Amino acid sequence: MTEVRARAARHKGQLNFEAELKALLYAYGDVPTPLPETVRVLDEIVTDFVIETCHQAARSATYSNRQKIKVDDFKFAIRGNEAMLGRVQELLGMDKELKEARKQFDVAEGEKGLEKGRSGRGRGKRKRGEEGGEEE
């Protein structure tokens, strides 16, 4: 295991995953409102894991002479844990399938449906002076 890094002072006492951890504990059979100490300890463990994984991915990107971290850097960082790596690859595959399905759905909508979606503002709101807008 890698060396343990000291948590930055700005993260001390701050709970990053409180709601998620409470729901997770309840799902695994704990009481609906778990002890605050339990949530705090689990939050520290999860936060430290995320920070360490990000540091390892950044180190991998640095070795590759890149400043930006890519998904492959995270895959490289967790390569020792086969179950976690398998789950990540499964989720990335599902994400790719969903993107393809959305792409096919958008194409199947037809030209009229795509014109509505291009504005990105939703609910038919238009800027002033735009075609089809309010007439004076």
Side-chain angles (χ1 to χ4, degrees):
M1 183 148 192
T2 61
E3 76 280 356
V4 178
R5 297 179 192 270
R7 293 186 89 193
R10 64 179 174 195
H11 296 295
K12 279 276 193 222
Q14 176 183 349
L15 297 179
N16 298 313
F17 305 102
E18 182 177 11
E20 293 87 352
L21 288 172
K22 283 182 178 181
L24 182 75
L25 286 169
Y26 184 62
Y28 278 94
D30 201 359
V31 294
T33 53
L35 292 173
E37 295 83 18
T38 305
V39 176
R40 184 186 52 77
V41 168
L42 281 175
D43 188 84
E44 284 184 21
I45 292 169
V46 171
T47 303
D48 289 343
F49 172 77
V50 170
I51 289 170
E52 278 300 313
T53 305
C54 290
H55 282 294
Q56 290 174 1
R59 204 173 308 126
S60 173
T62 303
Y63 288 148
S64 301
N65 293 324
R66 282 184 278 110
Q67 291 183 349
K68 290 187 177 181
I69 301 173
K70 294 184 175 183
V71 173
D72 289 339
D73 297 322
F74 282 101
K75 289 163 101 176
F76 186 79
I78 61 170
R79 71 190 181 282
N81 187 336
E82 292 178 13
M84 191 183 316
L85 182 60
R87 180 68 175 148
V88 166
Q89 289 174 336
E90 180 184 345
L91 289 172
L92 288 171
M94 285 192 318
D95 183 51
K96 189 175 182 179
E97 287 177 25
L98 285 171
K99 284 180 182 178
E100 289 295 321
R102 281 191 205 108
K103 189 176 180 181
Q104 290 176 356
F105 182 73
D106 286 344
V107 170
E109 263 187 1
E111 195 62 33
K112 191 172 186 178
L114 287 176
E115 286 176 7
K116 269 188 172 177
R118 283 190 186 131
S119 68
R121 283 179 262 124
R123 295 196 182 191
K125 295 180 182 177
R126 296 189 177 122
K127 291 181 182 176
R128 291 186 185 190
E130 193 174 296
E131 277 186 11
E134 296 176 24
E135 293 184 23
E136 293 179 17

Tab-separated table of all heavy atoms in Angstrom, residues 22-61:
chain	number	residue	atom	x	y	z
A	22	LYS	N	-24.790	7.300	4.672
A	22	LYS	CA	-25.945	6.938	5.507
A	22	LYS	C	-26.871	6.001	4.748
A	22	LYS	O	-27.353	5.004	5.299
A	22	LYS	CB	-26.701	8.193	5.941
A	22	LYS	CG	-26.024	8.956	7.052
A	22	LYS	CD	-26.849	10.164	7.458
A	22	LYS	CE	-26.203	10.923	8.603
A	22	LYS	NZ	-26.996	12.087	9.016
A	23	ALA	N	-27.114	6.294	3.483
A	23	ALA	CA	-27.976	5.435	2.659
A	23	ALA	C	-27.331	4.063	2.464
A	23	ALA	O	-28.008	3.029	2.519
A	23	ALA	CB	-28.244	6.100	1.314
A	24	LEU	N	-26.019	4.032	2.263
A	24	LEU	CA	-25.299	2.774	2.083
A	24	LEU	C	-25.364	1.930	3.351
A	24	LEU	O	-25.632	0.721	3.287
A	24	LEU	CB	-23.847	3.054	1.711
A	24	LEU	CG	-22.986	1.835	1.443
A	24	LEU	CD1	-23.337	1.233	0.089
A	24	LEU	CD2	-21.520	2.207	1.475
A	25	LEU	N	-25.132	2.563	4.486
A	25	LEU	CA	-25.205	1.831	5.754
A	25	LEU	C	-26.595	1.264	5.985
A	25	LEU	O	-26.750	0.109	6.403
A	25	LEU	CB	-24.805	2.758	6.914
A	25	LEU	CG	-23.322	3.072	7.039
A	25	LEU	CD1	-23.104	4.193	8.042
A	25	LEU	CD2	-22.553	1.826	7.439
A	26	TYR	N	-27.617	2.056	5.697
A	26	TYR	CA	-28.996	1.591	5.874
A	26	TYR	C	-29.295	0.434	4.924
A	26	TYR	O	-29.940	-0.543	5.297
A	26	TYR	CB	-29.974	2.750	5.654
A	26	TYR	CG	-31.410	2.372	5.916
A	26	TYR	CD1	-31.827	1.962	7.175
A	26	TYR	CD2	-32.344	2.424	4.890
A	26	TYR	CE1	-33.144	1.608	7.419
A	26	TYR	CE2	-33.667	2.071	5.121
A	26	TYR	CZ	-34.059	1.667	6.387
A	26	TYR	OH	-35.357	1.306	6.620
A	27	ALA	N	-28.785	0.528	3.691
A	27	ALA	CA	-29.022	-0.534	2.712
A	27	ALA	C	-28.369	-1.841	3.145
A	27	ALA	O	-28.862	-2.920	2.827
A	27	ALA	CB	-28.482	-0.110	1.344
A	28	TYR	N	-27.263	-1.747	3.889
A	28	TYR	CA	-26.579	-2.944	4.358
A	28	TYR	C	-27.011	-3.359	5.758
A	28	TYR	O	-26.326	-4.135	6.408
A	28	TYR	CB	-25.061	-2.763	4.287
A	28	TYR	CG	-24.537	-3.014	2.899
A	28	TYR	CD1	-24.359	-1.969	2.007
A	28	TYR	CD2	-24.254	-4.306	2.467
A	28	TYR	CE1	-23.888	-2.199	0.733
A	28	TYR	CE2	-23.796	-4.549	1.190
A	28	TYR	CZ	-23.614	-3.490	0.324
A	28	TYR	OH	-23.155	-3.710	-0.945
A	29	GLY	N	-28.137	-2.824	6.248
A	29	GLY	CA	-28.730	-3.331	7.475
A	29	GLY	C	-28.520	-2.499	8.718
A	29	GLY	O	-28.898	-2.926	9.806
A	30	ASP	N	-27.936	-1.330	8.599
A	30	ASP	CA	-27.767	-0.473	9.766
A	30	ASP	C	-29.081	0.244	10.054
A	30	ASP	O	-30.029	0.191	9.276
A	30	ASP	CB	-26.649	0.545	9.522
A	30	ASP	CG	-26.067	1.105	10.817
A	30	ASP	OD1	-26.552	0.709	11.898
A	30	ASP	OD2	-25.145	1.929	10.745
A	31	VAL	N	-29.129	0.956	11.146
A	31	VAL	CA	-30.320	1.716	11.514
A	31	VAL	C	-30.477	2.906	10.554
A	31	VAL	O	-29.512	3.338	9.931
A	31	VAL	CB	-30.234	2.215	12.977
A	31	VAL	CG1	-30.261	1.035	13.932
A	31	VAL	CG2	-29.012	3.058	13.200
A	32	PRO	N	-31.693	3.469	10.425
A	32	PRO	CA	-31.891	4.599	9.503
A	32	PRO	C	-31.011	5.809	9.807
A	32	PRO	O	-30.628	6.540	8.899
A	32	PRO	CB	-33.364	4.948	9.668
A	32	PRO	CG	-33.996	3.693	10.158
A	32	PRO	CD	-32.962	3.005	10.996
A	33	THR	N	-30.698	6.038	11.082
A	33	THR	CA	-29.809	7.148	11.434
A	33	THR	C	-28.585	6.577	12.146
A	33	THR	O	-28.603	6.399	13.374
A	33	THR	CB	-30.525	8.175	12.347
A	33	THR	OG1	-31.065	7.476	13.463
A	33	THR	CG2	-31.629	8.892	11.607
A	34	PRO	N	-27.504	6.294	11.423
A	34	PRO	CA	-26.316	5.696	12.039
A	34	PRO	C	-25.586	6.688	12.939
A	34	PRO	O	-25.811	7.902	12.878
A	34	PRO	CB	-25.454	5.313	10.837
A	34	PRO	CG	-25.905	6.197	9.743
A	34	PRO	CD	-27.354	6.487	9.996
A	35	LEU	N	-24.708	6.170	13.754
A	35	LEU	CA	-23.932	7.020	14.650
A	35	LEU	C	-23.071	7.998	13.846
A	35	LEU	O	-22.489	7.624	12.826
A	35	LEU	CB	-23.017	6.167	15.525
A	35	LEU	CG	-23.692	5.277	16.567
A	35	LEU	CD1	-22.664	4.381	17.239
A	35	LEU	CD2	-24.402	6.136	17.598
A	36	PRO	N	-22.992	9.248	14.283
A	36	PRO	CA	-22.183	10.232	13.567
A	36	PRO	C	-20.713	9.825	13.452
A	36	PRO	O	-20.058	10.111	12.449
A	36	PRO	CB	-22.321	11.506	14.399
A	36	PRO	CG	-23.514	11.312	15.247
A	36	PRO	CD	-23.699	9.845	15.415
A	37	GLU	N	-20.185	9.125	14.485
A	37	GLU	CA	-18.795	8.692	14.446
A	37	GLU	C	-18.570	7.687	13.324
A	37	GLU	O	-17.541	7.706	12.653
A	37	GLU	CB	-18.378	8.070	15.785
A	37	GLU	CG	-18.379	9.048	16.945
A	37	GLU	CD	-19.769	9.228	17.566
A	37	GLU	OE1	-20.657	8.368	17.348
A	37	GLU	OE2	-19.966	10.247	18.237
A	38	THR	N	-19.551	6.788	13.131
A	38	THR	CA	-19.442	5.794	12.070
A	38	THR	C	-19.394	6.471	10.716
A	38	THR	O	-18.549	6.149	9.871
A	38	THR	CB	-20.641	4.826	12.129
A	38	THR	OG1	-20.724	4.251	13.426
A	38	THR	CG2	-20.517	3.740	11.089
A	39	VAL	N	-20.281	7.412	10.497
A	39	VAL	CA	-20.333	8.132	9.226
A	39	VAL	C	-19.046	8.929	9.018
A	39	VAL	O	-18.480	8.944	7.917
A	39	VAL	CB	-21.572	9.052	9.169
A	39	VAL	CG1	-21.583	9.866	7.893
A	39	VAL	CG2	-22.850	8.240	9.286
A	40	ARG	N	-18.548	9.553	10.078
A	40	ARG	CA	-17.330	10.358	9.965
A	40	ARG	C	-16.130	9.498	9.593
A	40	ARG	O	-15.347	9.844	8.710
A	40	ARG	CB	-17.067	11.093	11.293
A	40	ARG	CG	-15.859	12.038	11.242
A	40	ARG	CD	-15.538	12.640	12.604
A	40	ARG	NE	-15.403	11.657	13.673
A	40	ARG	CZ	-14.337	10.876	13.868
A	40	ARG	NH1	-13.312	10.948	13.057
A	40	ARG	NH2	-14.308	10.024	14.865
A	41	VAL	N	-15.985	8.340	10.246
A	41	VAL	CA	-14.850	7.457	9.965
A	41	VAL	C	-14.933	6.925	8.531
A	41	VAL	O	-13.937	6.924	7.799
A	41	VAL	CB	-14.790	6.297	10.992
A	41	VAL	CG1	-13.808	5.225	10.549
A	41	VAL	CG2	-14.423	6.823	12.363
A	42	LEU	N	-16.108	6.474	8.137
A	42	LEU	CA	-16.266	5.985	6.760
A	42	LEU	C	-16.015	7.091	5.747
A	42	LEU	O	-15.419	6.854	4.694
A	42	LEU	CB	-17.662	5.392	6.561
A	42	LEU	CG	-17.870	3.991	7.097
A	42	LEU	CD1	-19.324	3.567	6.937
A	42	LEU	CD2	-16.965	3.000	6.395
A	43	ASP	N	-16.460	8.298	6.055
A	43	ASP	CA	-16.237	9.425	5.150
A	43	ASP	C	-14.744	9.704	5.000
A	43	ASP	O	-14.265	9.968	3.896
A	43	ASP	CB	-16.965	10.669	5.658
A	43	ASP	CG	-16.928	11.795	4.661
A	43	ASP	OD1	-17.779	11.813	3.746
A	43	ASP	OD2	-16.028	12.659	4.775
A	44	GLU	N	-14.005	9.637	6.093
A	44	GLU	CA	-12.553	9.842	6.019
A	44	GLU	C	-11.895	8.770	5.168
A	44	GLU	O	-11.017	9.067	4.351
A	44	GLU	CB	-11.939	9.837	7.417
A	44	GLU	CG	-12.167	11.106	8.186
A	44	GLU	CD	-11.471	11.101	9.542
A	44	GLU	OE1	-10.501	10.314	9.717
A	44	GLU	OE2	-11.893	11.850	10.417
A	45	ILE	N	-12.332	7.529	5.330
A	45	ILE	CA	-11.762	6.428	4.552
A	45	ILE	C	-12.037	6.620	3.065
A	45	ILE	O	-11.130	6.496	2.232
A	45	ILE	CB	-12.319	5.069	5.044
A	45	ILE	CG1	-11.797	4.767	6.446
A	45	ILE	CG2	-11.960	3.947	4.077
A	45	ILE	CD1	-12.479	3.590	7.116
A	46	VAL	N	-13.286	6.940	2.728
A	46	VAL	CA	-13.654	7.127	1.320
A	46	VAL	C	-12.927	8.333	0.734
A	46	VAL	O	-12.390	8.266	-0.389
A	46	VAL	CB	-15.186	7.270	1.174
A	46	VAL	CG1	-15.567	7.688	-0.229
A	46	VAL	CG2	-15.886	5.981	1.540
A	47	THR	N	-12.889	9.432	1.460
A	47	THR	CA	-12.209	10.636	0.973
A	47	THR	C	-10.723	10.379	0.751
A	47	THR	O	-10.167	10.770	-0.280
A	47	THR	CB	-12.409	11.803	1.954
A	47	THR	OG1	-13.813	12.030	2.123
A	47	THR	CG2	-11.753	13.074	1.443
A	48	ASP	N	-10.085	9.697	1.695
A	48	ASP	CA	-8.671	9.372	1.537
A	48	ASP	C	-8.446	8.468	0.331
A	48	ASP	O	-7.471	8.631	-0.406
A	48	ASP	CB	-8.118	8.709	2.798
A	48	ASP	CG	-7.997	9.684	3.960
A	48	ASP	OD1	-8.020	10.909	3.704
A	48	ASP	OD2	-7.880	9.224	5.109
A	49	PHE	N	-9.355	7.502	0.123
A	49	PHE	CA	-9.236	6.616	-1.034
A	49	PHE	C	-9.341	7.409	-2.339
A	49	PHE	O	-8.539	7.204	-3.260
A	49	PHE	CB	-10.308	5.529	-0.993
A	49	PHE	CG	-10.355	4.719	-2.245
A	49	PHE	CD1	-9.407	3.734	-2.485
A	49	PHE	CD2	-11.321	4.953	-3.208
A	49	PHE	CE1	-9.431	2.992	-3.655
A	49	PHE	CE2	-11.352	4.222	-4.377
A	49	PHE	CZ	-10.406	3.236	-4.601
A	50	VAL	N	-10.312	8.301	-2.429
A	50	VAL	CA	-10.493	9.101	-3.643
A	50	VAL	C	-9.269	9.982	-3.896
A	50	VAL	O	-8.762	10.067	-5.021
A	50	VAL	CB	-11.787	9.946	-3.554
A	50	VAL	CG1	-11.866	10.953	-4.678
A	50	VAL	CG2	-13.014	9.053	-3.566
A	51	ILE	N	-8.776	10.619	-2.846
A	51	ILE	CA	-7.609	11.495	-2.987
A	51	ILE	C	-6.393	10.682	-3.432
A	51	ILE	O	-5.673	11.080	-4.359
A	51	ILE	CB	-7.330	12.243	-1.669
A	51	ILE	CG1	-8.413	13.289	-1.432
A	51	ILE	CG2	-5.953	12.902	-1.693
A	51	ILE	CD1	-8.372	13.933	-0.050
A	52	GLU	N	-6.160	9.535	-2.807
A	52	GLU	CA	-5.012	8.701	-3.174
A	52	GLU	C	-5.123	8.205	-4.606
A	52	GLU	O	-4.139	8.185	-5.348
A	52	GLU	CB	-4.883	7.505	-2.219
A	52	GLU	CG	-4.189	7.839	-0.941
A	52	GLU	CD	-2.778	8.354	-1.159
A	52	GLU	OE1	-2.010	7.738	-1.938
A	52	GLU	OE2	-2.440	9.375	-0.564
A	53	THR	N	-6.316	7.793	-5.015
A	53	THR	CA	-6.509	7.316	-6.389
A	53	THR	C	-6.252	8.438	-7.381
A	53	THR	O	-5.622	8.222	-8.424
A	53	THR	CB	-7.923	6.748	-6.571
A	53	THR	OG1	-8.148	5.735	-5.586
A	53	THR	CG2	-8.107	6.143	-7.940
A	54	CYS	N	-6.702	9.638	-7.058
A	54	CYS	CA	-6.450	10.785	-7.935
A	54	CYS	C	-4.963	11.108	-8.013
A	54	CYS	O	-4.451	11.431	-9.090
A	54	CYS	CB	-7.235	12.006	-7.460
A	54	CYS	SG	-8.998	11.855	-7.717
A	55	HIS	N	-4.246	11.007	-6.891
A	55	HIS	CA	-2.802	11.245	-6.888
A	55	HIS	C	-2.082	10.210	-7.754
A	55	HIS	O	-1.160	10.544	-8.505
A	55	HIS	CB	-2.229	11.233	-5.472
A	55	HIS	CG	-2.482	12.493	-4.705
A	55	HIS	ND1	-1.935	13.709	-5.056
A	55	HIS	CD2	-3.234	12.728	-3.602
A	55	HIS	CE1	-2.344	14.643	-4.204
A	55	HIS	NE2	-3.133	14.074	-3.316
A	56	GLN	N	-2.502	8.955	-7.641
A	56	GLN	CA	-1.886	7.902	-8.449
A	56	GLN	C	-2.156	8.134	-9.931
A	56	GLN	O	-1.267	7.940	-10.767
A	56	GLN	CB	-2.408	6.536	-8.026
A	56	GLN	CG	-1.919	6.094	-6.669
A	56	GLN	CD	-2.568	4.801	-6.218
A	56	GLN	OE1	-3.384	4.220	-6.932
A	56	GLN	NE2	-2.223	4.352	-5.034
A	57	ALA	N	-3.376	8.538	-10.272
A	57	ALA	CA	-3.712	8.819	-11.675
A	57	ALA	C	-2.912	10.012	-12.185
A	57	ALA	O	-2.437	10.014	-13.327
A	57	ALA	CB	-5.211	9.070	-11.815
A	58	ALA	N	-2.741	11.021	-11.345
A	58	ALA	CA	-1.945	12.193	-11.741
A	58	ALA	C	-0.492	11.803	-11.953
A	58	ALA	O	0.160	12.287	-12.888
A	58	ALA	CB	-2.058	13.285	-10.683
A	59	ARG	N	0.016	10.930	-11.105
A	59	ARG	CA	1.382	10.450	-11.267
A	59	ARG	C	1.535	9.696	-12.585
A	59	ARG	O	2.525	9.856	-13.301
A	59	ARG	CB	1.737	9.542	-10.084
A	59	ARG	CG	3.205	9.439	-9.818
A	59	ARG	CD	3.536	8.665	-8.540
A	59	ARG	NE	2.814	9.167	-7.379
A	59	ARG	CZ	2.060	8.408	-6.582
A	59	ARG	NH1	1.923	7.127	-6.803
A	59	ARG	NH2	1.447	8.923	-5.542
A	60	SER	N	0.541	8.892	-12.929
A	60	SER	CA	0.563	8.153	-14.194
A	60	SER	C	0.549	9.113	-15.387
A	60	SER	O	1.261	8.900	-16.368
A	60	SER	CB	-0.649	7.220	-14.258
A	60	SER	OG	-0.745	6.610	-15.508
A	61	ALA	N	-0.240	10.161	-15.297
A	61	ALA	CA	-0.288	11.154	-16.381
A	61	ALA	C	1.047	11.880	-16.487
A	61	ALA	O	1.515	12.162	-17.596
A	61	ALA	CB	-1.416	12.149	-16.133
